[in-house]
Amino acid sequence: MQTTETDILSSPSLVVEKYFDMVYRLARKTAGADKADDAVQNVFLRYMNHYREFESEEHVKAWLIRVTYNCSVSEVKNSWTERTTALPDDDSGITPAVPPPDESDGIEQLSAAVDMLPTKYKAVIHLYYYEEYSTKEIAEAINKKETTVRSLLARGRKQLENILKEGHLK
């Protein structure tokens, strides 16, 4: 059965199902792994309060990106989360029988380098390269000027280059 735009607009569960991965990836890149869950939860709670107000699926998607960015930045700035620590994953004390793959792989290094960037750079780099948004779409989504987004991309790329050259990876 094909899902139509009308179905998406009238069913919050379909929106959550369709856009959860995108929202989670953006929140994880922007706020970090330990704060992404809270940011995503806040995004979808806000969505549930506003889902009847959207005109199109593109409107929903743009709104989700903007709210995800804002919630992620808020989580980073939240003083309460700074004074708490995340619970370890269930398997944190288990030693795997097979060692993990060599992390010298270029993609993993790049992802780790992006994680080291300040929040404002992580978000635009993630949206531009991973979600494949144009600078105009990113500017609209995070409520910044397009020239600001291009500057953030340029500065973020420069910092990534420095991180990769100097080997500051964890």
Side-chain angles (χ1 to χ4, degrees), residues 15 19 22-23 43-44 60-68:
V15 170
Y19 292 109
M22 178 195 74
V23 168
V43 168
F44 286 115
V60 171
K61 191 173 181 181
W63 186 90
L64 286 170
I65 291 169
R66 176 176 289 159
V67 173
T68 301

Side-chain angles (χ1 to χ4, degrees), residues 127-165:
L127 288 171
Y128 189 79
Y129 289 106
Y130 294 92
E131 301 296 335
E132 298 180 352
Y133 280 94
S134 69
T135 55
K136 181 179 180 181
E137 292 170 322
I138 296 168
E140 291 170 1
I142 65 173
N143 204 24
K144 302 229 186 261
K145 293 180 182 179
E146 191 174 352
T147 54
T148 303
V149 170
R150 284 195 295 266
S151 295
L152 291 170
L153 277 169
R155 291 178 191 146
R157 288 182 196 120
K158 185 68 174 165
Q159 285 194 15
L160 273 174
E161 182 182 350
N162 291 339
I163 290 169
L164 293 169
K165 279 184 181 177

